[in-house]
Amino acid sequence: MTADPVAQRLQKRLPVPYTEWLPELVRRNVGKWVDRRFHGYGIIEHISSTGDRVFTVKVGTPPNFRMSTETMRKFIDIADKLGIGGIKITRNGNLEILTDSLDKAVKIKEEVEKMGFPVGGWGPTLWSINSCTAFLTCTTAVVDAPSITKVLYDHLKPYFTGEVKLPAKLRINVSGCPSSCGGFTSDINIVGHYGDAPTYDPERVKLCLPRSAKALEAGHVPEVAEVCPTGAIKVYGKPDGTVGLDVIRSKCIACGRCRDVCDWMDFDESKIGVAILVGGKASNTGRGSMPSIQVIPWVPAIPPEYREIVAVVKKIIDVWRANAREGERIGDWIARVGMEQFYKLLEIPVTKWNKPVAISGEFGIRQFGPI
């Protein structure tokens, strides 16, 4: 074994047993955790059958977990000084710092709050606002999901820290496009979309089409048409032997897949917005797992304050807070009162694009019965 750390990394073994990365206290208790206890919002105690205990402090971080290495080092310094040398970055973009006593957990909370980061989540609070990467790494983004997430966090922070109590757990996902990489099974989903069918430059779009109509006769389907999920893009042979393209607007759902494969398909930026879906959850509590249901087909996405999106999200939360029973997540509450009543309380019009549908749930592992 060489002493050169770079050379050591190049000699790494794959797959590496994941337990090698864990702090000793966690490693010796893998598979032995038997209970948990909450200590205010943002601090949870894990209890092992061995008698060991670990306390986790949950820190809200910038959208999509984007932060400088300098900031990350400050968190690591806190984890080394007051914790057990372990941190966890959750799939929802929160940072969790592990320690071995409640006193140290409270001190960690104080230290990260001095840095300007909130501690919260768990219990009847906002657990997270999860965001996709959008324009930073994605080729299909329609709206800048992280900046929408930042604005929402600014307005909804009291729900994360527990200053304002909610009826139950609340999760919000923000996705830059209908692919919904921000996540789909959450209480409120915000999904960017184009809002109208695409147009195209008739000359430059030829770069995305076969040069000769004979290719079509041979069965070739250009990718720009092949990816369309509704058959809204029609290609055809022209009398001069070249290939033409039409967009059938009545079939188009503005998903943007054609744009993904052909840069010369274009969308009107003034019509870009987001759809709002509600009621999704993967939990087996209440009525079990539920898909999200679209209730507001389009809200304008106007940076930097995104006032319209913030207003809609806050209205949904306010109506839920005022009417749900304790422990009732948004989907469970809507399933009890009915979608029509939910629309009435929200004071939103019903159109052919958001006709009330029943949220039933009642499916999941409980329905399988004993094996």
Side-chain angles (χ1 to χ4, degrees), residues 184-198:
F184 190 68
T185 52
S186 66
D187 302 274
I188 300 175
N189 279 313
I190 300 161
V191 180
H193 67 96
Y194 288 111
D196 200 358

Side-chain angles (χ1 to χ4, degrees), residues 260-307:
D260 297 348
V261 297
C262 180
D263 287 340
W264 309 114
M265 302 300 289
D266 199 13
F267 288 88
D268 184 348
E269 292 189 1
S270 69
K271 296 180 180 178
I272 285 175
V274 299
I276 309 289
L277 300 84
V278 302
K281 66 188 182 79
S283 168
N284 61 353
T285 59
R287 292 174 179 259
S289 304
M290 297 182 187
S292 296
I293 303 294
Q294 178 173 286
V295 293
I296 303 178
W298 188 83
V299 178
I302 305 174
E305 298 180 341
Y306 299 104
R307 291 179 179 176

Side-chain angles (χ1 to χ4, degrees), residues 120-133:
W122 295 318
T125 67
L126 171 63
W127 283 38
S128 64
I129 304 178
N130 196 27
S131 170
C132 72
T133 64

Side-chain angles (χ1 to χ4, degrees), residues 83-331:
I84 57 174
I87 61 171
K88 176 187 174 187
I89 300 166
T90 75
R91 65 175 294 275
N92 293 315
N94 294 308
L95 178 74
E96 296 179 354
I97 301 176
L98 311 179
T99 189
D100 55 4
S101 78
L102 180 58
D103 287 343
K104 291 178 182 176
V106 172
K107 289 178 181 175
I108 289 172
K109 179 176 184 292
E110 293 172 354
E111 289 291 322
V112 298
E113 287 178 341
K114 286 179 186 174
M115 292 172 61
F117 291 89
V119 171
W122 295 318
T125 67
L126 171 63
W127 283 38
S128 64
I129 304 178
N130 196 27
S131 170
C132 72
T133 64
F135 297 107
L136 184 65
T137 58
C138 181
T139 61
T140 64
V142 181
V143 299
D144 187 31
S147 67
I148 295 173
T149 300
K150 172 66 170 67
V151 170
L152 285 173
Y153 252 134
D154 289 344
H155 287 272
L156 303 180
K157 178 188 169 188
Y159 301 134
F160 178 75
T161 58
E163 296 166 64
V164 178
K165 189 178 178 182
L166 298 173
K169 173 181 180 179
L170 172 65
R171 287 190 60 211
I172 299 174
N173 290 343
V174 185
S175 299
C177 78
S179 294
S180 277
C181 293
F184 190 68
T185 52
S186 66
D187 302 274
I188 300 175
N189 279 313
I190 300 161
V191 180
H193 67 96
Y194 288 111
D196 200 358
T199 57
Y200 56 89
D201 183 317
E203 288 301 315
R204 290 181 169 177
V205 80
K206 292 178 181 176
L207 296 171
C208 304
L209 300 173
R211 291 185 177 180
S212 170
K214 290 183 179 178
L216 302 182
E217 295 171 2
H220 174 67
V221 179
E223 195 174 16
V224 67
E226 191 173 29
V227 298
C228 180
T230 62
I233 296 194
K234 178 184 177 183
V235 292
Y236 57 93
K238 299 169 74 172
D240 64 0
T242 62
V243 177
L245 179 147
D246 273 341
V247 176
I248 305 172
R249 298 180 64 83
S250 60
K251 286 188 174 181
C252 179
I253 58 173
C255 67
R257 304 309 300 176
C258 55
R259 173 71 172 272
D260 297 348
V261 297
C262 180
D263 287 340
W264 309 114
M265 302 300 289
D266 199 13
F267 288 88
D268 184 348
E269 292 189 1
S270 69
K271 296 180 180 178
I272 285 175
V274 299
I276 309 289
L277 300 84
V278 302
K281 66 188 182 79
S283 168
N284 61 353
T285 59
R287 292 174 179 259
S289 304
M290 297 182 187
S292 296
I293 303 294
Q294 178 173 286
V295 293
I296 303 178
W298 188 83
V299 178
I302 305 174
E305 298 180 341
Y306 299 104
R307 291 179 179 176
E308 293 79 5
I309 297 175
V310 171
V312 170
V313 172
K314 289 193 71 174
K315 182 70 177 291
I316 292 172
I317 295 174
D318 287 345
V319 167
W320 170 54
R321 284 184 61 218
N323 295 277
R325 295 170 179 165
E326 186 174 347
E328 224 172 22
R329 290 182 64 171
I330 290 179

